[in-house]
Amino acid sequence: MKKITILLLSGLLLTGAGCSDYLDEDTTGLLYGPNVLSTQDGLESALTGAYKGLGNQWTYGFLHPSANAAVLGADDVTTHPASNKADWREFDQFNVSTTNQRSNAVYNGCYKAIQGANNVINNYQQTVGTKATIDIIVGEAHFIRAFSYYWLTRFWGNIPLIMAGEYSDELLTVKKSTPQEVYDLIVADLKVAETNLPNAKRDPGRPNKGSAKAFLADVYLTMAGWPLKQTDKYDLAAAKAKEVIDNAATYGFELLPTFAAVFENDPASPGTKEAVFQISGYLGGSGTANATYGNTTMPGEEGGWDDMFAELNFFRDFPAGPRKDATFRTEFGLGATKITWQNSLTKHPYYQKWYIKGNIVTSSISLPSVMMRYPHVLTVYAEAKARGTGGPDQAAYDALNKVRLRGRAAGTKALAPGDGLTAAQFADEVVQERAWEFACERTRWFDLIRLERVEEANAKKSTDDLQPIKPIVKENYWFPLPYTDTSINPNL
């Protein structure tokens, strides 16, 4: 049965190959038309529908490890070479199929979120209520749409650009848009969000003005690299990231004193001040618990599923210090008996940062998926300033050192302009530091793509890790669109 992703806009599922049927779908928040959205409560409910697309435990979005699987083409994470991990291995071996359930879950969730956001954006002008609150709702809708399209175009490149909130027959023949067209909308949406959103988040799982600025900085940095290569965007990225840094206290962002504190992963906590934007998960709600923690990142020796663990050379090259200690799990066993990673079934270290406080073995927990942390903003500024006009300034060195010194061993020397690094060398230092800081956080893959270093990174893999099954070419930087869409629409 072939699910047409774009028809999530109408909640309708069609089938092909001589089969037709209607299936029940969760339509929470899927409210249509100016009559339903004429009240502020109705508009808020439609916004809830947009958030729902970003977070459903096993079906779509980011409250499960599908997005983690989809970035296995980088050099920090790998998966089991056998077992039932075929969907995971496709990414690590650069052989992604059009029916891959992992990437398709992200694709479906993003378009579901876009539908909800469009519904708000296209109808809010008829809504009666408090203007200040309506403006915030609209700002969040623009942020969600930008966030969703940002993930879509980085994974799939040329994608359908859907602006409708309701179904029409025209959606069956929609054409692909170029990355430039998609990024134009992303930038425009984030600028609206930046204007409309308040300084303080309404809830931990919502964006604020600082979130919009931070994502806009990251988008500019990405636009400066492959495939657009608009290097003038480096200055824009640096300027926007600096706005966030200079107003971090206003936006409620801060770098925690220790790296370990970021990953306490206490289900009783709503998150930390490092979260620029997170998708909150709640145990007990229908499909709202988070499945990225626990089982998926634990070894079989501890009752885990062996879904994702560290690549060997990445682990061995990782600088010693408190960040490495908090990032990796190198001894396994929840009781008194322990075995080292070298003697485990997979013979790989695992990622401690996805363990649940108390070593709880479960796949459903009340923890957020943090989609950007404040240290990312610091490294965006440092790299963009280095690659932009004038090269790195003292503020760029300060931004990098805040991240670097927190993670490295005591006594590590701060980098300084007098060290003699060229602008390009300093930028490379930032990129490498980001790899260590955000290991297994869905970041490294996108750095390698925009800098066109995917081939180089994979060439340096350990022979004991999964290898690409054929030479990597630029076409492998993007995934093929899902068969559920291409089989219905010849324009895709």
Side-chain angles (χ1 to χ4, degrees), residues 24 39 53 58 150 162 170 203 215 228 240 271 275 302 309 376 431 436 463 492:
D24 292 331
T39 68
W58 293 116
Y150 190 35
I162 307 297
E170 293 178 357
D203 293 300
F215 270 86
L228 299 184
K240 194 56 63 176
E302 295 179 340
F309 38 83
H376 190 86
V431 173
W436 307 138
T463 54
L492 301 182

Side-chain angles (χ1 to χ4, degrees), residues 143-272:
F143 179 90
I144 291 170
R145 188 167 71 177
F147 173 88
S148 301
Y149 273 125
Y150 190 35
W151 275 86
L152 287 168
T153 195
R154 286 185 299 170
F155 272 156
W156 285 274
N158 302 297
I159 57 173
L161 196 59
I162 307 297
M163 306 297 287
E166 299 180 51
Y167 171 72
S168 71
D169 289 341
E170 293 178 357
L171 293 176
L172 293 175
T173 56
V174 66
K175 296 181 179 180
K176 291 186 287 187
S177 295
T178 65
Q180 181 66 67
E181 292 169 322
V182 178
Y183 275 107
D184 286 345
L185 177 64
I186 292 170
V187 170
D189 274 347
L190 288 174
K191 287 182 176 179
V192 173
E194 180 184 23
T195 299
N196 283 32
L197 292 176
N199 290 336
K201 299 175 181 177
R202 292 202 288 166
D203 293 300
R206 298 178 189 267
N208 64 1
K209 190 179 296 290
S211 309
K213 289 177 181 290
F215 270 86
L216 188 52
D218 195 56
V219 166
Y220 283 143
L221 184 70
T222 300
M223 294 175 75
W226 187 92
L228 299 184
K229 298 187 179 181
Q230 297 171 352
T231 55
D232 62 303
K233 296 297 192 296
Y234 283 127
D235 288 345
L236 295 177
K240 194 56 63 176
K242 193 65 162 57
E243 289 180 27
V244 180
I245 295 169
D246 290 344
N247 297 280
T250 299
Y251 302 138
F253 305 151
E254 69 176 46
L255 191 73
L256 297 190
T258 66
F259 187 83
V262 183
F263 295 98
E264 289 183 344
N265 298 339
D266 184 352
S269 171
T272 77

Side-chain angles (χ1 to χ4, degrees), residues 100-164:
N100 188 287
Q101 295 181 24
R102 297 294 175 178
S103 56
N104 287 0
V106 176
Y107 185 90
N108 292 343
C110 285
Y111 273 111
K112 186 176 180 68
I114 288 166
Q115 178 276 326
N118 286 343
N119 208 17
V120 172
I121 294 166
N122 295 344
N123 290 288
Y124 78 92
Q125 291 180 337
Q126 287 76 42
T127 302
V128 176
T130 304
K131 182 180 184 303
T133 303
I134 292 173
D135 285 348
I136 294 172
I137 294 171
V138 173
E140 289 185 26
H142 279 280
F143 179 90
I144 291 170
R145 188 167 71 177
F147 173 88
S148 301
Y149 273 125
Y150 190 35
W151 275 86
L152 287 168
T153 195
R154 286 185 299 170
F155 272 156
W156 285 274
N158 302 297
I159 57 173
L161 196 59
I162 307 297
M163 306 297 287

